[in-house]
Amino acid sequence: MMKLEKKDILGIREMTVDEINLILETAESFLEISTRDIKKVPTLRGKSVINLFYEASTRTRTSFEIAGKRLSADTINISASTSSVVKGETLIDTARNLEAMNPDIIVIRHSAAGAPHLLASLVSQSIINAGDGAHEHPSQALLDMMTIKAKKGKIHGLKIALVGDILHSRVARSNIYGLSKMGAEVVVAGPATMIPRDIERMGVKVYTKLDDAIADADVVMMLRIQLERQKQNIFPSLREYAQHYCLNRNNIKRAKDDVIVMHPGPMNRGVEISPDIADDPNYSVILDQVNNGVAVRMALLYLLSGGNE
Amino acid sequence: MTEEKGPKIVMDSNVIERCLTRIAYEILEKNKGMDNLVLVGIRTGGIFLAERLQKKISAIEGREVPLGILDITLYRDDISKSKKKAPLGKTNIPFDLTEKKVILVDDVLFTGRTIRAAMDALIDFGRPKMIQLAVLIDRGHRELPIRADYVGKNLPSSLWEAVSVNLLEKNGRDEVVIEEET
Amino acid sequence: MKLLLKGARVIDPSQKIDALMDVLIEEGKIGACGTAITASPDVKVIDLTGMIVAPGLIDMHVHLREPGLEYKETIASGSAAAVAGGFTSIACMPNTEPVNDNRSITEFIRRKAAEANLANVYPIGAISIGSEGRQLTEFWDLKEAGIIALSDDGKPVMDAALLRRALEYASSLDLPVIQHCEDKNLSAGGLMNEGYYATILGLPGIPAIAEDVMVARDILIAEYTRTRIHIAHVSTAGAVRLIRDAKARGLNVTAETAPHYFTLTDESLQDYNTNYKVSPPLRNATDVGAIKEGLADGTLDAIACDHAPHGRTDKEVEFEYALNGISGLETSLGLSLNLWHDGILPLPELIAKMSCNPARILSLDKGMLAIGSDADITVINPDLPWIVDVKSFHSRGKNSPFHGLKMKGRAVLTIVGGDIKYNGLAEKP
């Protein structure tokens, strides 16, 4: 019998290799359900999953919602604009209110790093971190790992480059933990303003030039550039960023011939990734990531559900 | 009087083979050939038996009978009671079930709950014309109104006994063993 | 009432006394100090064998929250916390609501402190009106009302020209200026020390240079204007180095640090516990080492706890929204005694940093046991084991990361003006 010992999924940092493998293998079995005519199994019938989103998100929320529904759980979406958040209710009070309604799992997205940890310390329900500030986004890293494993047959020994605004990226942090644990060589790249201090201690190599980072890479993961960072002088202009950090037909030749290109979305076409790379099925696995995302989230909901023993 | 408490072999390799051959013929007889017939093995014990039946039926009829694999974990009725879960296996039914005669194959028929789950799962894949059940062992103790259409051996057993079906593909030898649960 | 403190080790760094002696208190003053003083029948004798008698401890950097934020602390509750922590005198920062930038607030604070009648409370006035960094307050008027120093604590004076004028104007009144050194442009948006732990926690960082740059700037301004400046809550190795160099060059720069800066590092923040959120932020192990060195070599003159009490609603929130600060008065001495237990500071030097040094910086007639001086005395049991329990805090602020920590040594008797204001002698460990 396999079992996930955790009450919550807060980050990849706290996960063991066995746990990651269990989640990935479970997710692989869930892939098939999404190919059926009736894309639904009764497994979590009568369970309720609350998607508590304090930050706008379409794809992650939808992905969790579809995952819950395909497992027959009741999914309820609460977003900051429709909940009492705007009236100034604290996370603690929201948590206690939700707890009183007795859901089984709460999925939380929050702009403040650590908010899921606070929630997990307050309620008995399982908490899944769907992204907190620049901290972690564990389900994204798991779906990325699942995608890499499916395309490459393994993660161990691969060279994987993460390029972009590492400083503000929770996707980068979760992937650095996950991919390193699984035995990949992880390198990050971006202008020095986008590289967080002492990141080398996370076990990654740091490059400031795209070409150096992606040389001989098996996987290149491009991160979304957020325009509002320009105001913080993290970069001078999208134009200049795109000239030096956009993955295109030309520079991708530096990577391995069978390189795959990933992006957590939403993409800025022509900024961090050129459209012809994003749309090239020889390189891009971006839509596989989305498909695997539902399976990974089904696996998380499935493995976390169950009574308290 | 004390009874021997060690494991007891109730079926050996030859007996198992003969039972499966008989079941293959029974299936063909009852269904008047193999038109619209499909086999679905229940993971994990039913898969290898279904594969053997597939070989036998195909050999008799000279055409391959389709075979699917079903993992019923997600349809179990005790899933939410425990965080402990059997590893989720892949389901692979690469054909439409609508209007098919489905032979569900499992190793041991016991409470009937697995078969209930399997039937629920099958119906999510289409609307079969009928579902029949083939098992190697029927050990009784049903908790649901379910019976098998094809039975290798009826094996009346106590609730505290464990029945293990060992197969060449799984454990390296063919035998059915009964022993007291420790 | 007359009190005779018998048999303790008396340490008075201001007079370089460290000996087993008796201390007689009469009329609120130190009456006599010597061996084998005999008690007349009207004297209450307290046997303090094994204890340390020290000049009343002074914390020159506390936040009392009143007026305006009484749910966090009042002058009365803060004073009670002070004497329970062994402090006979405290200097309170002006960032109340409204800010202590005028005579009426100063007078209000003094009146409330007199009503509480526990510790001596010395108000610190704001440098700029509303501590907004634009217009100087009326230093002269504030001094007459009773302030003993000036600071815009919490809101550093970013405008170098304003600081220059403040130092110059204050020097003509002999008022010390206390600066919270933080370059707000460098620290903007930051929530914790910039470094490995901020990186893995995904929290925006406050670089050490935000502090260092302003310490350097302020030292230069003080040097140029030939004035003195006091640097509050030093937390970085860089600031310690700059202050050490300034002192070596003979400049009139003094500095304090807080117990959490020599006790904790940013590694503590890993589970986003908001009780570790302070300003300046907890730094790394190198900085903690440098703070200890700075204390040991005299670069850092004083220990002040930056007592920052908060209500639950201020701390039981997402890390990003939590307010900065530790309710420190009742753990400050215990944590500081670790410097002695760990061999970093001899006991007399430790006591100096918590009594006569802050008295000197603030020009207070305190921090000594000279005959005729105010009988402000702290009796310390230096080895008493105890466990921090915020529920037993006298402060309204229960925000302490030290809850549950095992401590060794604490104040057992706090005497202010000859009156016992806190007596923990009977308490069993």
Side-chain angles (χ1 to χ4, degrees):
Chain A
M1 295 291 251
M2 300 292 275
K3 185 179 169 191
L4 198 63
E5 298 284 350
K6 298 183 152 23
K7 168 180 157 303
D8 311 300
I9 303 287
L10 299 179
I12 305 288
R13 188 180 176 215
E14 300 85 36
M15 259 182 214
T16 64
V17 171
D18 284 347
E19 286 171 329
I20 293 171
N21 277 324
L22 170 64
I23 294 165
L24 297 187
E25 280 158 23
T26 306
E28 281 155 18
S29 296
F30 274 119
L31 270 179
E32 169 263 329
I33 293 169
S34 300
T35 66
R36 298 184 190 176
D37 278 349
I38 299 174
K39 299 175 186 58
K40 202 180 190 66
V41 291
T43 317
L44 298 187
R45 208 172 40 172
K47 301 275 179 194
S48 14
V49 177
I50 292 181
N51 290 324
L52 179 60
F53 276 61
Y54 283 83
E55 198 181 62
S57 155
T58 306
R59 71 185 55 211
T60 303
R61 187 186 54 67
T62 309
S63 184
F64 269 109
E65 190 176 354
I66 290 177
K69 289 195 150 92
R70 290 201 175 151
L71 289 168
S72 299
D74 297 311
T75 58
I76 299 101
N77 295 318
I78 303 176
S79 60
S81 54
T82 58
S83 78
S84 43
V85 171
V86 283
K87 289 174 228 136
E89 187 176 70
T90 64
L91 182 59
I92 291 196
D93 285 326
T94 305
R96 301 226 163 105
N97 275 286
L98 292 179
E99 185 174 37
M101 296 175 208
N102 207 19
D104 297 280
I105 294 176
I106 301 173
V107 178
I108 179 173
R109 157 73 63 94
H110 203 298
S111 59
H117 301 66
L118 178 62
L119 187 60
S121 71
L122 294 168
V123 301
S124 56
Q125 281 81 10
S126 288
I127 304 299
I128 299 178
N129 178 3
D132 62 327
H135 176 229
E136 282 230 40
H137 192 351
S139 62
Q140 177 71 42
L142 288 163
L143 74 88
D144 289 339
M145 288 188 266
M146 182 179 174
T147 307
I148 294 168
K149 220 178 127 197
K151 293 289 166 185
K152 295 284 175 191
K154 60 173 185 176
I155 296 174
H156 191 93
L158 297 180
K159 179 181 173 181
I160 300 172
L162 278 61
V163 183
D165 187 357
I166 311 292
L167 179 64
H168 295 100
S169 177
R170 52 192 170 214
V171 176
R173 283 170 180 78
S174 286
N175 265 307
I176 289 170
Y177 284 125
L179 296 169
S180 306
K181 280 176 205 241
M182 300 301 277
E185 177 199 354
V186 184
V187 306
V188 300
T193 46
M194 295 183 181
I195 305 294
R197 203 167 175 82
D198 296 338
I199 194 171
E200 299 83 357
R201 281 180 64 188
M202 292 179 80
V204 300
K205 257 207 192 114
V206 178
Y207 295 95
T208 51
K209 297 202 171 56
L210 174 74
D211 284 3
D212 297 339
I214 66 174
D216 295 317
D218 298 282
V219 179
V220 177
M221 200 181 289
M222 303 304 292
L223 301 172
R224 177 179 169 77
I225 285 299
Q226 287 175 297
L227 185 57
E228 61 264 30
R229 304 294 176 202
Q230 195 177 346
K231 288 185 216 121
Q232 300 164 12
N233 285 313
I234 301 290
F235 63 103
S237 68
L238 286 180
R239 170 181 165 273
E240 182 160 296
Y241 184 84
Q243 279 174 354
H244 298 282
Y245 293 96
C246 182
L247 191 67
N248 58 37
R249 286 238 170 267
N250 215 8
N251 52 31
I252 201 164
K253 288 180 192 137
R254 301 182 64 91
K256 290 220 175 97
D257 290 339
D258 61 349
V259 67
I260 57 169
V261 175
M262 307 177 76
H263 194 295
M267 275 184 284
N268 297 303
R269 285 168 175 267
V271 180
E272 67 261 4
I273 187 164
S274 71
D276 47 343
I277 294 290
D279 297 334
D280 186 339
N282 290 321
Y283 295 123
S284 172
V285 297
I286 293 166
L287 295 177
D288 296 89
Q289 289 175 272
V290 177
N291 185 38
N292 291 338
V294 174
V296 154
R297 288 165 181 131
M298 287 172 83
L300 292 177
L301 295 175
Y302 169 72
L303 291 168
L304 283 182
S305 65
N308 297 318
E309 289 161 277
Chain B
M1 200 171 80
T2 53
E3 232 179 306
E4 188 68 47
K5 296 239 172 132
K8 199 169 80 188
I9 295 172
V10 290
M11 287 174 93
D12 64 13
S13 173
N14 286 335
V15 178
I16 290 172
E17 267 309 294
R18 278 202 297 275
C19 280
L20 289 174
T21 305
R22 170 172 55 78
I23 289 172
Y25 279 106
E26 282 177 4
I27 289 170
L28 288 170
E29 184 186 3
K30 180 162 179 169
N31 293 289
K32 301 184 175 66
M34 63 170 283
D35 288 346
N36 285 326
L37 204 64
V38 299
L39 296 171
V40 173
I42 298 175
R43 194 175 275 278
T44 56
I47 298 175
F48 305 118
L49 294 173
E51 281 170 359
R52 291 194 196 182
L53 284 173
Q54 182 195 33
K55 279 200 197 96
K56 288 179 189 294
I57 292 169
S58 304
I60 297 162
E61 293 288 300
R63 304 182 269 153
E64 184 147 285
V65 60
L67 171 65
I69 294 169
L70 185 64
D71 185 292
I72 57 99
T73 311
L74 298 172
Y75 290 82
R76 287 169 63 126
D77 56 10
D78 58 354
I79 196 107
S80 59
K81 292 208 178 70
S82 164
K83 268 200 175 180
K84 283 190 187 137
K85 300 201 169 70
L88 187 60
K90 287 192 177 69
T91 289
N92 183 21
I93 299 180
F95 41 79
D96 188 6
L97 290 182
T98 307
E99 289 305 312
K100 291 288 192 301
K101 299 176 196 169
V102 178
I103 313 295
L104 205 49
V105 184
D106 203 0
D107 50 0
V108 180
L109 177 59
F110 185 23
T111 61
R113 289 180 190 270
T114 299
I115 304 306
R116 194 282 306 160
M119 288 193 291
D120 281 356
L122 282 180
I123 282 160
D124 278 357
F125 283 89
R127 187 175 182 280
K129 187 174 176 62
M130 61 172 69
I131 300 174
Q132 299 166 11
L133 175 62
V135 297
L136 186 61
I137 302 288
D138 182 349
R139 60 172 293 192
H141 303 292
R142 214 75 77 240
E143 293 169 5
L144 295 173
I146 281 168
R147 62 161 186 82
D149 300 89
Y150 314 99
V151 178
K153 186 180 173 65
N154 282 298
L155 186 66
S157 61
S158 314
L159 279 171
W160 54 86
E161 283 173 324
V163 175
S164 321
V165 176
N166 297 318
L167 294 172
L168 213 53
E169 300 91 326
K170 186 166 67 172
N171 320 79
R173 61 185 188 281
D174 277 355
E175 64 183 18
V176 177
V177 175
I178 187 164
E179 63 188 311
E180 285 208 20
E181 224 153 4
T182 47
Chain C
M1 189 174 63
K2 293 182 183 179
L3 279 176
L4 180 62
L5 309 180
K6 271 196 90 70
R9 176 181 168 193
V10 176
I11 300 177
D12 178 6
S14 73
Q15 302 183 86
K16 298 202 165 25
I17 291 172
D18 182 358
L20 287 176
M21 281 199 290
D22 301 338
V23 177
L24 182 69
I25 299 165
E26 292 174 309
E27 314 284 332
K29 304 280 179 189
I30 305 289
C33 227
T35 47
I37 298 175
T38 46
S40 50
D42 61 332
V43 175
K44 182 183 175 187
V45 180
I46 304 175
D47 179 14
L48 294 176
T49 308
M51 307 287 165
I52 288 159
V53 164
L57 302 184
I58 301 169
D59 193 316
M60 64 181 294
H61 192 144
V62 305
H63 298 270
L64 293 183
R65 308 302 190 198
E66 191 180 0
L69 299 163
E70 292 82 359
Y71 76 97
K72 296 173 193 263
E73 191 81 291
T74 63
I75 289 164
S77 66
S79 302
V83 294
F87 295 95
T88 56
S89 298
I90 49 179
C92 59
M93 285 294 173
N95 62 336
T96 46
E97 283 182 18
V99 169
N100 182 15
D101 58 6
N102 64 73
R103 172 185 281 272
S104 66
I105 303 293
T106 305
E107 287 172 347
F108 169 84
I109 292 168
R110 294 190 67 201
R111 190 172 73 245
K112 283 286 181 180
E115 284 169 15
N117 192 24
L118 290 165
N120 303 303
V121 175
Y122 297 100
I124 297 168
I127 293 171
S128 61
I129 292 171
S131 286
E132 284 170 353
R134 284 192 282 273
Q135 178 69 49
L136 292 183
T137 57
E138 295 174 331
F139 292 3
W140 215 293
D141 207 36
L142 281 163
K143 187 179 181 183
E144 282 171 7
I147 65 156
I148 45 85
L150 292 157
S151 181
D152 275 352
D153 185 55
K155 290 187 173 177
V157 181
M158 276 294 287
D159 179 343
L162 182 73
L163 184 77
R164 173 203 172 158
R165 295 310 180 199
L167 290 176
E168 287 172 338
Y169 196 73
S171 71
S172 52
L173 288 90
D174 200 26
L175 270 176
V177 171
I178 302 170
Q179 171 75 313
H180 168 131
C181 289
E182 175 189 348
D183 185 305
K184 295 298 273 184
N185 294 323
L186 281 168
S187 66
L191 298 172
M192 67 174 288
N193 184 45
E194 187 166 280
Y196 174 66
Y197 291 101
T199 292
I200 65 170
L201 291 169
L203 291 170
I206 300 170
I209 50 165
E211 180 166 335
D212 304 349
V213 161
M214 194 171 264
V215 169
R217 183 200 79 171
D218 291 0
I219 288 170
L220 290 169
I221 296 171
E223 179 176 17
Y224 180 76
T225 54
R226 301 187 191 100
T227 57
R228 63 168 159 145
I229 189 160
H230 178 78
I231 312 292
H233 42 53
V234 171
S235 74
T236 65
V240 171
R241 194 178 64 239
L242 288 160
I243 295 161
R244 183 181 291 129
D245 294 348
K247 285 188 166 184
R249 287 192 294 124
L251 305 183
N252 199 346
V253 176
T254 55
E256 76 196 29
T257 190
H260 39 275
Y261 299 121
F262 56 73
T263 307
L264 300 170
T265 66
D266 53 359
E267 194 178 350
S268 310
L269 289 152
Q270 285 187 77
D271 58 357
Y272 297 96
N273 184 337
T274 56
N275 281 328
Y276 292 93
K277 189 178 178 187
V278 285
S279 172
L282 298 176
R283 306 290 186 180
N284 65 32
T286 308
D287 294 303
V288 169
I291 297 291
K292 288 177 180 171
E293 275 173 40
L295 284 164
D297 70 10
T299 301
L300 301 174
D301 306 88
I303 295 170
C305 77
D306 195 3
H307 179 70
H310 284 297
R312 285 176 57 188
T313 50
D314 302 321
K315 285 289 193 181
E316 288 181 358
V317 291
E318 294 87 329
F319 193 87
E320 186 173 334
Y321 310 149
L323 299 182
N324 289 307
I326 290 172
S327 178
L329 277 170
E330 289 162 87
T331 52
S332 183
L333 176 59
L335 294 167
S336 300
L337 281 168
N338 287 335
L339 295 170
W340 169 59
H341 294 306
D342 297 342
I344 292 155
L345 282 179
L347 213 39
E349 279 188 41
L350 175 64
I351 288 168
K353 288 184 197 296
M354 301 182 80
S355 60
C356 57
N357 291 1
R360 189 189 74 236
I361 294 164
L362 299 175
S363 307
L364 299 177
D365 224 3
K366 296 281 185 187
M368 57 189 157
L369 297 175
I371 311 276
S373 60
D374 293 339
D376 290 359
I377 293 173
T378 302
V379 179
I380 301 165
N381 182 339
D383 294 308
L384 184 74
W386 61 288
I387 292 169
V388 180
D389 179 3
V390 294
K391 290 194 291 296
S392 70
F393 275 12
H394 295 72
S395 169
R396 288 190 180 179
K398 312 298 182 193
N399 51 305
S400 172
F402 303 112
H403 178 67
L405 189 71
K406 283 183 187 153
M407 305 278 250
K408 203 172 154 194
R410 59 169 300 152
V412 289
L413 196 65
T414 307
I415 298 168
V416 182
D419 294 331
I420 294 172
K421 298 297 186 187
Y422 171 77
N423 188 345
L425 278 172
E427 280 173 33
K428 292 274 180 298

